Amino acid sequence: METMVRRNPSQRLRGDQRLRGDRLLRETVWYGGAWSVALAAVALIGAAAMLVFPVVLGRAVDAALTGGTAWWTIAACALVGILVVTDAATNLASGHQTARATATLRYRLLRHLFTLSPRDAGRYPVGDLVGRLAGQAADAGQIGTAAVLGLVALLPPVGSIVALLLLEPVLGLTMIAGTALLALLMRTFVADASQVTAEYQRVQGDIAGRLVEALTGARTIAAAATAPREVTRVLAPLPELAGHGRRSWDLLAGAAARTAAVAPLLHLSVVAVGGYALTAGWLTPGQLVAAVQYAALGAGLGAVLATLNRLVRCRAGAHRIAMVLDEPGVRHGSAPLPPGGGALRLHGVTVQASDGRPVLHDVDLAVPAGATVAVVGESGSGKSTLAAVAGRLQDPDAGEVLLDGVPLRRLSPSALRRAVGYAFERPVLVGETLHDVIGLGLPDDQATVPVDGRPASPPVLRAARDAAVDGYVERLPEGYRTPLADAPLSGGEAQRLGLARALSAERLLILDDATSSLDTATAHRIGQAVVERSGGRTRLVVTHRAATAASADLVAWLHAGRLRALAPHRRLWSDPAYRAMFLPVEGGR
């Protein structure tokens, strides 16, 4: 298997990463499209109606006391209706806006993940990536709603201050003093909660990563009877998670308590000053009612706390997504391949692990077009890494890989994937049916051929036959249209399905121990199919079998990341060190 190195996902964000996370957050606001505009419009109408309502209500009170017109009462009732309608419309628009933004963000993250090389993607545990895709994308997707509603939520308090200043400057100054204190309390909350939320999400990702790793190795855990120990390992970060969770709730509860203590005092202060202004003749009864209403709106600045808490979660989620988006994707050129038969050359190829240790060191390898080259070596010698760089599943840290004289970096993605096919020791099967699994990456052929009354495309049929998996598939009740989830697969059958996908390669076929789970007869049959139906393709075969090496034209012998020899098997067999790689394995079979 390809050598993978993982970066610790708990690394803290640097300043430049925070800036990119904030930029992603701003971009996400616009992902809601027209729903973002609709949300802003409806919320603004509701906020305007809320600000106008106290004045209209005050006029209605004065009109009732003085026997004036009833139009003010009708206007107040109309404003109540507007507030009800805008509240419902705000909920509808915010739901659509959040759903659209979240979907767009998830699509962007998932698409970027598929542009990463397997080594770069492997730096993040699968569970952690799933957590970012499902959880943190949903958090960040709420930024449009949180930003709009947060800004709109500021309008009533600010408008209340202005209205009170116009009604009576003393009331406005009283309101300003209390609001400044509330704003200071909430600023402290935001600063503290941001770090706690980021740490909480980090530990969540750590637990998810451990869980996926444990589920992947469930059979090994069951065989070793170490389930309790594994449960302990997976849940080891749980106390830290609980600590961050309690800290988050403590911060929110403390901020809410302080706000709840200050807000009523602010309200009472305005009411008291307003009462004095009424007795002094500065205000009418209706204006006092309006002042009391505006005081309630201004003191309601504490309601912004929930919005701030949501903004904190949005920002933390966006930063974790931006961390993955910062990983550079594989860049391709636009060059086509010239006429040729798949001549492969590695020139000075070096690949390093994350600790600087060379996995491959200065490898020079020339594979003639149409030849079969077996790659052998002890475990850890760099066989799978060589196979990865040969087809650009991984770029070397130094050196160049050329196919028919063209550097792989300069090829277009379509040209590269048409030319190179991969089959792995433990293939991951992708598709809804077995037909989809085999047809993944094969030429699109709309024509179908009935097999036992069920349609199958000719390229899929040829690939299944060459991979010796046609008999297995055709024995299933639904044949090639059998859902993958309903197909009982042995390790060998899974390998053959994975091999079938690779047989569409036009120039280079890379088999990374792809027949290790097959019996000798089946492996021989597949080997014949690969050679006899090669169509002039070059074959690079990573193997542990002496028989496979013997049937190859050349053997590339790797030792400690270096190419020790490139020669026919029969010539290398005279070397005791070469024989020692096979004899224990062959003898143990």
Side-chain angles (χ1 to χ4, degrees):
M1 298 295 290
E2 179 183 354
T3 301
M4 296 288 185
V5 289
R6 284 186 177 173
R7 178 176 60 195
N8 185 356
S10 67
Q11 64 179 2
R12 303 195 184 278
L13 292 171
R14 301 187 304 270
D16 56 338
Q17 290 176 323
R18 291 185 182 278
L19 290 176
R20 286 191 288 271
D22 290 341
R23 183 171 64 246
L24 175 64
L25 209 58
R26 292 192 294 270
E27 294 170 358
T28 305
V29 171
W30 300 107
Y31 287 165
W35 285 107
S36 298
V37 178
L39 175 62
V42 171
L44 284 172
I45 292 172
M50 190 180 298
L51 283 172
V52 173
F53 180 73
V55 174
V56 174
L57 181 62
R59 292 296 183 90
V61 170
D62 284 341
L65 293 176
T66 60
T69 179
W71 285 109
W72 289 109
T73 303
I74 296 174
C77 293
L79 285 173
V80 171
I82 291 173
L83 288 171
V84 172
V85 171
T86 54
D87 184 63
T90 296
N91 289 332
L92 176 65
S94 65
H96 281 281
Q97 195 275 344
T98 298
R100 180 169 176 171
T102 300
T104 304
L105 192 59
R106 284 174 175 163
Y107 177 81
R108 178 178 173 183
L109 176 59
L110 187 60
R111 183 171 181 174
H112 182 74
L113 283 174
F114 285 127
T115 68
L116 301 180
S117 70
R119 180 174 67 168
D120 290 339
R123 292 171 179 166
Y124 297 87
V126 174
D128 178 68
L129 289 176
V130 171
R132 295 178 198 238
L133 187 66
Q136 276 85 70
D139 289 336
Q142 299 181 53
I143 183 58
T145 298
V148 169
L149 297 184
L151 290 173
V152 171
L154 292 174
L155 294 181
V158 173
S160 298
I161 293 175
V162 174
L164 289 173
L165 286 171
L166 293 175
L167 283 174
E168 174 53 52
V170 176
L171 292 176
L173 293 174
T174 303
M175 192 71 183
I176 289 173
T179 301
L181 180 59
L182 283 173
L184 180 62
L185 293 176
M186 284 185 284
R187 179 182 177 184
T188 303
F189 165 75
V190 171
D192 293 340
S194 295
Q195 182 61 38
V196 172
T197 302
E199 289 298 306
Y200 186 88
Q201 292 178 347
R202 175 188 62 79
V203 179
Q204 270 188 322
D206 186 13
I207 294 176
R210 294 176 183 223
L211 176 59
V212 171
E213 289 173 351
L215 292 176
T216 302
R219 289 194 302 175
T220 302
I221 294 169
T226 57
R229 186 188 309 169
E230 194 62 23
V231 169
T232 301
R233 186 189 72 84
V234 171
L235 299 181
L238 201 56
E240 184 182 1
L241 183 72
H244 292 313
R246 285 192 297 270
R247 176 62 175 158
S248 177
W249 283 110
D250 288 345
L251 288 173
L252 184 60
R258 291 190 293 270
T259 302
V262 174
L265 294 177
L266 174 59
H267 193 188
L268 288 174
S269 298
V270 174
V271 170
V273 174
Y276 174 78
L278 177 65
T279 59
W282 301 344
L283 297 175
T284 66
Q287 288 175 326
L288 177 60
V289 171
V292 171
Q293 291 292 317
Y294 281 125
L297 287 178
L301 186 63
V304 179
L305 190 65
T307 301
L308 288 177
N309 188 46
R310 183 189 292 186
L311 286 170
V312 167
R313 291 186 61 84
C314 291
R315 188 167 185 252
H319 286 172
R320 283 179 58 78
I321 292 173
M323 185 188 300
V324 180
L325 293 178
D326 279 347
E327 294 285 351
V330 176
R331 295 184 178 275
H332 296 273
S334 57
L337 279 168
L344 176 69
R345 181 172 181 188
L346 280 68
H347 178 67
V349 167
T350 295
V351 177
Q352 294 181 337
S354 59
D355 58 1
R357 176 181 53 84
V359 181
L360 291 177
H361 182 70
D362 199 24
V363 173
D364 286 308
L365 175 64
V367 180
T372 299
V373 175
V375 181
V376 304
E378 302 90 344
S379 178
S381 60
K383 299 186 298 298
S384 290
T385 302
L386 186 143
V389 298
R392 214 191 169 197
L393 287 184
Q394 180 177 340
D395 284 330
D397 296 301
E400 194 71 85
V401 182
L402 302 94
L403 183 62
D404 287 323
V406 180
L408 296 187
R409 298 173 190 266
R410 292 177 49 195
L411 292 177
S412 67
S414 58
L416 179 63
R417 292 310 161 212
R418 280 199 309 270
V420 182
Y422 269 97
F424 302 101
E425 178 185 5
R426 292 187 290 274
V428 176
L429 305 180
V430 179
E432 184 176 346
T433 67
L434 294 184
H435 190 279
D436 298 333
V437 169
I438 299 172
L440 185 70
L442 293 179
D444 186 17
D445 192 334
Q446 300 299 324
T448 59
V449 175
V451 178
D452 293 335
R454 300 177 181 86
S457 66
V460 168
L461 294 177
R462 287 194 298 270
R465 183 171 57 254
D466 290 346
V469 76
D470 53 329
Y472 161 75
V473 176
E474 291 168 8
R475 286 194 299 271
L476 295 173
E478 298 181 63
Y480 287 89
R481 300 300 173 178
T482 302
L484 177 60
D486 298 338
L489 294 172
S490 67
E493 287 155 353
Q495 275 197 337
R496 281 182 280 164
L497 286 171
L499 178 62
R501 295 184 312 196
L503 293 178
S504 64
E506 296 176 356
R507 305 196 185 204
L508 176 62
L509 179 60
I510 301 174
L511 308 181
D512 188 356
D513 220 7
T515 60
S516 60
S517 296
L518 306 181
D519 58 83
T520 303
T522 304
H524 179 69
R525 175 185 167 186
I526 292 175
Q528 283 186 317
V530 169
V531 173
E532 294 172 2
R533 299 180 179 90
S534 66
R537 288 176 302 190
T538 304
R539 282 85 64 197
L540 196 67
V541 184
V542 177
T543 184
H544 296 88
R545 294 185 175 187
T548 303
S551 65
D553 300 313
L554 294 169
V555 175
W557 179 12
L558 293 178
H559 176 71
R562 296 177 181 271
L563 182 62
R564 183 166 178 174
L566 178 64
H569 172 77
R570 62 180 179 276
R571 185 183 305 170
L572 295 175
W573 191 254
S574 60
D575 190 323
Y578 180 79
R579 292 198 305 272
M581 291 188 298
F582 300 104
L583 293 178
V585 176
E586 300 293 342
R589 289 180 185 271

